[in-house]
Every structure is written in C-alpha cells, then in structure tokens.
Amino acid sequence: MIQINSNFQHLKPSYLFTEIVDRTRAYEKSHPEAKVLRLGVGDVRGPLVPVVIDALHRAVDDLATVERFHGYGLENGPSWLRRRIVDFDYAPRGIRFDDEEVFISDGAGSDLGNLTDILDLHNRVAITDPVYPAYFDTNVMAGRTIDLLPCSPENEFCPALPEQVPDLIYLCSPNNPTGTAMTYKQLQMWVDYARENHALIIFDNAYEAFIESADVPHSIYEIEGARECAIEVRSFSKTAGFTGVRCGYTIVPNALYGYSSTGERVALNPLWLRRVCTKYNGTSYIAERGGEAVLTDEGRRQNMERIAEYHHNADIIRQGLQEIGMQVYGGVDSPYIWARTPDGMSSWEYFDYLLNTAQVVCTPGVGFGKQGEGFVRFSAFGLTAVAEEAIRRIQNK
Ligand code: PLP
C-alpha cells in the first residue's frame, strides 16, 4: 500500500494569493464599473529587453541546424555560462570562483527547495518571520524542526541571533516581503555566527539587481568567511524579467563542508553535483543563452533601465504613503514596500478597506507569517501610471 509523506499534512493551506484573487473578483463582480489597480503581485512586467530577445532568437536558430543543435548539456550548466557568471557578476567585486562552484538552474525557486536534499532531516532550521513561504514549506515537507526569527521595525528587520543554535539558516536580502536589505555589518554578524556554530546559511539573493545603498553587499561572498558557511542562490527572474523564461544560478563553494553521522567532514559541492546530476537534466539551452545575454554590458544597461522604472514606482508608492502619515519600510533596495496598517487594522481589514475605498489591491502581510500581521506589502512591478493613480486614490479617499 502506497503511503504518502505525512509531513504534507502539516503544511498550512497556501491560500494567500487565491484569497486575494477571490476577494478582488468578488469586488469587481459587484462593482463592474470599478477599475481595480493591482499593487499586489510580485511578478515582473514584459517585454524582455531587446538584447535578450535577440539571444533567444539566435538560440532557436541554433536548434534549427544540424551543426549548432544542442541536445542534453551538462546537468550543472554549460561552462560558457558558468564562466560568464564568475567573470561578470563576481570578479568585478573581487570574488573569485572556479566554474565548478557555479550551478545553472531553472530559477531560484527550485534550488531553494531542493538544496535541503543533501542535508540531514534532523538539522534544526532557522527562518525569518515574515518570510517568502518556500523555505518554510520545504522544511515542513521534509519534517524538520523550524525556529522562527521575528523581524520587525524594532530590530530593523534584521533578526537577533538565536540562543537555540540552528544548523541551517535562511536569509533573504533584499527581502521579500519586507523590501529591506541587510548591511555589511548585519550580514557579517550572521556569517560569524554561522562559522562559530558550523551552521550553513542559504542566502537568497534573487533581488540583487535592486540594491542601491552603498552599505548593502551585492553578494554574501563580499563578507569575510562567507565561502566557508554560505550557499548563494541567484536568479534572472527579477534581474531581467525571466519569471517565464526560467534561468538562475547557485553558488556552492568548494570550501563548504558539512558533517557525516560519524563526525567526518564532507564537502558539500560534490554532494550537490551528485544530486543535480541524478535529479536534474539541465536548464533549457534557449534560457541559458538568454541568461548569457543578460550578463553583458548592453544586457545590464537595458535591464537596469527597466529596474530604474521599478525604483521610480517604489519611490512614488513609498513617498505617497509617507505623505499620509503611514509608516513604511523597504522600497529602496527592493521593489517591495512594507507598510504598517493605520489605526491598528489587521492586514486583511486594511486589504478590504483599500479595495473598497480606493479600488487598490495590496498583499496582506500576515500571509507571510505571524509577524506580518498589521502590515501590507505593495509591489512596484507595474506601470508608473498605475502606481501614480493608486497613490492618488489612496491619498484622496
Ligand atoms: N526568492 C524570492 C525571495 C522570491 O521572491 C522569488 C520569487 O518571487 C524567488 C526566490 C523565486 O524566483 P525564481 O523565479 O527565480 O524561481
């Protein structure tokens, strides 16, 4: 008799985005004249930039010829892309890796979920609250013990070091949902703590391209000692609008070790390579060529123009909410603005209030964890005209 993984029964229903859609649809149905503005979703806006479109076209043309056809590639990605990542993304910041320390993926989501395959089920896991739900759910599915690290304006959204020492720590900076980012000093504190305790940090850096503040590192490997305790997960999704194309990369440094049940030190890089070669057959060649084009001077220039628009939207939202006295956080190194609801309203009360009075959709913070109660998230991934109109309505209601 086939038995299920009973841990799945411990997952909380993931109703956040369906509930938002349901409530918005219900409102639109009863107010057919209303033009609802959506500042809830965390997805990018098209189109892809021209340099990427050209590369994708060329990759398709390659597949149309016998000479340049590509079938199976290396499971961890082609060396031309891994080298480009090292040379273009890391070397200018003084960080050096061998090609074999880079793994090409189909985006951050899969690797964030799969990396724990190489880690024991009894590891104790520390996760921030509020949080991007994937880290939490992945570890619930595996049945691990999870400790939550509260993040709030009081600790500047940088969690205090826990007394109960974890084995695995998830950090996300710039952060989804709070839109805040960790400084060099804050990240150094976590790297030192992880090294002292032989813990591993999984560092989700999906929003790196949004960093503007000089005191925020662009990679955890800018922090001394990080290559001995951290895996960094990156993605082209938010950098270059690849949410539908699917390509990303993960760095598993050769200097990273874990411990076997008999206390022996074991390098993590070969374990992850083995896992990738067994359970993954490589990223799409077309998506990889698109990723390569992102990592060029022209690719960066074109994508940063789009990101500048998102930053501009974030400024409009942040300043507009501040002008009516709301407490807002994030939105500087990130496309997300995290706002405290006024008058002690709950996240969902404020969601309904905003939908009904301004026809604006936000994301209730409580959907990202208990500490998110009393907050909402606004996303700047829309058109500037929509951000402007939404703020006008919120200010005038
Ligand atoms: N990490 C964070 C913090 C995210 O917000 C997202 C997507 O929204 C992801 C990872 C997943 O990104 P990808 O599209 O690369 O799978």
Side-chain angles (χ1 to χ4, degrees), residues 42 107-109 112 132 135 172 176 204 206-207 235 237-238 243 246 336:
L112 286 166
Y132 175 67
Y135 325 139
C172 174
N176 181 12
D204 182 349
Y207 293 89
S235 170
S237 281
K238 306 298 158 85
T243 49
R246 312 304 307 151
Y336 300 121

Side-chain angles (χ1 to χ4, degrees), residues 86-125:
V86 172
D87 291 343
F88 195 84
D89 254 0
Y90 288 101
R93 298 188 190 284
I95 304 161
R96 288 254 151 235
F97 284 115
D98 292 337
D99 300 5
E100 74 203 32
E101 295 173 284
V102 182
F103 294 78
I104 310 300
S105 68
D106 63 359
S110 311
D111 277 6
L112 286 166
N114 293 329
L115 276 162
T116 48
D117 270 17
I118 62 169
L119 304 173
D120 189 79
L121 288 181
H122 297 100
N123 285 308
R124 207 176 173 100
V125 186

Side-chain angles (χ1 to χ4, degrees), residues 259-266:
Y259 293 86
S260 72
S261 53
T262 51
E264 206 187 329
R265 273 175 101 226
V266 181

